[in-house]
Amino acid sequence: MTFLHTVQLFADGETVLPRFRHIGDLTLEPMHHDGRMEDLWLHLEPDEFALLWRLARQPGRCMPAEAVGPLLGGQAHGPVVLVKLHIKLSAHGLDDVLIHNCDASVCSGIAPT
């Protein structure tokens, strides 16, 4: 994990990172900087992982467009990242992990249990 990735993970003020975070059947692992479903890795890009990691912190909550854009490399790059991420998640049967709202916010589709 590079310095930049570490800074992104601690950006929310966390001082200790959990070993895993879960959104439904998706398990996120900061050590690998990737997500997996059972034993299948998704091969997430750093910005895709950062978005999912933040959403997994508060399942069922939405991130406004103003927060999503900078996290994904800017407003111009953000929509492309979201499309690629949705394709990766769909390929693994994880369609319900992300919800895109009409106001450009992104939500975890899985409510907390």
Side-chain angles (χ1 to χ4, degrees), residues 55-85:
L55 288 172
R57 182 178 185 193
Q58 296 177 313
R61 290 247 169 110
C62 296
M63 286 182 66
E66 304 84 49
V68 173
L71 186 64
L72 299 180
Q75 297 297 338
H77 184 62
V80 175
V81 173
L82 287 173
V83 168
K84 287 181 179 180
L85 180 56

Side-chain angles (χ1 to χ4, degrees), residues 3-22:
F3 176 73
L4 178 61
H5 296 150
T6 304
V7 168
Q8 271 186 326
L9 292 177
F10 285 103
D12 288 335
E14 294 179 89
T15 56
V16 177
L17 292 177
R19 178 65 181 101
F20 304 103
R21 279 196 179 151
H22 301 277

Side-chain angles (χ1 to χ4, degrees), residues 17-63:
L17 292 177
R19 178 65 181 101
F20 304 103
R21 279 196 179 151
H22 301 277
I23 303 178
D25 292 333
L26 176 63
T27 301
L28 298 169
E29 295 193 27
M31 194 70 129
H32 291 101
H33 214 73
D34 203 356
R36 63 180 169 83
M37 185 177 141
E38 297 177 5
D39 61 346
L40 300 174
W41 292 97
L42 273 65
H43 305 288
L44 297 172
E45 297 295 326
D47 44 6
E48 295 170 339
F49 179 83
L51 174 64
L52 290 172
W53 185 259
R54 288 200 184 172
L55 288 172
R57 182 178 185 193
Q58 296 177 313
R61 290 247 169 110
C62 296
M63 286 182 66

